[in-house]
Amino acid sequence: MEHITLLSAEKFLGFVVLGFVTGLYGTLIGAGGGFVLMPILLLLFPKENPALITSISLAVVFFNALAGSESYALMKRIDYKSGLMFAAATIPGAIIGALNTAAVSRPLFNGIFGTLLAIGGAFLAFRPDPKDCVRGNHRHYYESCRHLVEANGVCHDYSFNAFVGIGLSFVVGYVSSFLGIGGGIIHVPAMTYFLHFPVHIATATSHFVLAIMALTGTLTHVVAGTFPQGSNITLSLAIGALLGAPLGAHLSNRIQGRWIIRSLAFALCLVSIRIIMTAI
């Protein structure tokens, strides 16, 4: 473990830069940055067990999501009522996922990770652009309506099936904690395509949910004794993520929703190829 627990000044600075890029891009698309960080960690530390790598990634995702949520809160883009509901559903999934990671071999983990990334990227690449869905007054009894006004005065009216949202959030909690990717790469598309959230509201609310979910997964690794082995590298990455997250939230004002989804699809397909190659 010495090569991962002890870092030179040059390596520490390098991981700060990596954390900055992760925080910036992860906050921009509402994914928490774990899908960027995990493939890099898997390639940098090919002999480490999946539990250690995921514990580091989840901790960084937490700091990234926390900083990004603060920025999105100032923009008034977070749907807190929906976010708390979804976060409650992710907690049991996050605990189970974090515990199950230790039972999977490294080659199998790489294969699962790469395959799911490829599926997610293909889904986003071939789906039509998401459209902000306004349901108006015509809705079913099981749907929840939201009215949200951003700090810049932009209004959003949308409705969604709360039961579907809760079910999706449980799955997101498990998969994201198991893979150490934070969950935004699943949650943001699910919220836009299946729950009809406006893209920018989905990215902000997903970030809020990620902060709670990633903290749950990290604490599970702490209790299991996995996380302390990677505390030094986590610190350097977290410093960078805390610096990059506010910039990512600011840039989200300048990028249209469809480009956020397309950039996410491109990134998923790119990293999935490299990870699958390491599993073969």
Side-chain angles (χ1 to χ4, degrees):
M1 296 295 177
E2 183 176 357
H3 62 289
I4 194 170
T5 56
L6 299 178
L7 297 176
S8 64
E10 293 79 7
K11 289 183 178 179
F12 187 90
L13 180 60
F15 281 117
V16 169
V17 174
L18 174 59
F20 178 83
V21 175
T22 297
L24 188 156
Y25 191 63
T27 303
L28 173 64
I29 63 176
F35 84 98
V36 176
L37 182 59
M38 269 299 294
I40 296 176
L41 292 178
L42 289 173
L43 296 175
L44 290 177
F45 306 107
K47 296 182 179 180
E48 297 295 347
N49 64 76
L52 176 58
I53 302 298
T54 55
S55 69
I56 294 173
S57 180
L58 279 177
V60 176
V61 167
F62 165 69
F63 287 107
N64 179 13
L66 186 65
S69 295
E70 180 181 3
S71 298
Y72 282 129
L74 295 176
M75 299 177 187
K76 296 184 178 181
R77 287 184 175 178
I78 299 176
D79 180 348
Y80 290 103
K81 187 175 181 179
S82 300
L84 289 173
M85 178 174 59
F86 296 158
T90 65
I91 290 175
I95 294 174
I96 298 172
L99 294 175
N100 286 353
T101 304
V104 179
S105 66
R106 179 59 185 270
L108 178 59
F109 181 86
N110 284 6
I112 295 173
F113 186 88
T115 301
L116 290 179
L117 285 184
I119 293 173
F123 172 79
L124 294 179
F126 292 103
R127 290 281 296 187
D129 291 338
K131 298 181 183 299
D132 295 349
C133 180
V134 180
R135 300 288 184 87
N137 295 323
H138 301 287
R139 67 185 183 91
H140 298 288
Y141 72 93
Y142 51 78
E143 290 186 329
S144 299
C145 280
R146 297 288 185 267
H147 173 75
L148 191 146
V149 182
E150 296 185 38
N152 59 6
V154 176
C155 297
H156 301 280
D157 291 281
Y158 53 98
S159 61
F160 61 94
N161 188 317
F163 295 109
V164 173
I166 291 172
L168 288 172
S169 296
F170 175 83
V171 174
V172 167
Y174 176 83
V175 174
S176 60
S177 185
F178 177 77
L179 297 177
I181 57 175
I185 61 171
I186 307 172
H187 218 192
V188 172
M191 291 172 70
T192 55
Y193 288 121
F194 302 130
L195 301 182
H196 310 286
F197 273 64
V199 173
H200 286 303
I201 302 304
T203 56
T205 304
S206 173
H207 234 65
F208 174 71
V209 174
L210 283 179
I212 299 174
M213 186 282 301
L215 177 61
T216 301
T218 301
L219 291 177
T220 302
H221 281 294
V222 170
V223 173
T226 304
F227 175 71
Q229 301 175 38
S231 56
N232 289 337
I233 189 174
T234 301
L235 175 62
S236 59
L237 290 167
I239 292 174
L242 289 172
L243 296 174
L247 179 58
H250 175 72
L251 290 177
S252 69
N253 282 325
R254 302 174 180 272
I255 300 178
Q256 295 181 358
R258 67 177 181 271
W259 291 110
I260 293 177
I261 297 297
R262 287 175 178 174
S263 65
L264 178 55
F266 174 78
L268 288 178
C269 293
L270 186 65
V271 299
S272 68
I273 295 173
R274 186 65 183 92
I275 295 301
I276 291 174
M277 290 176 61
T278 65
I280 298 176

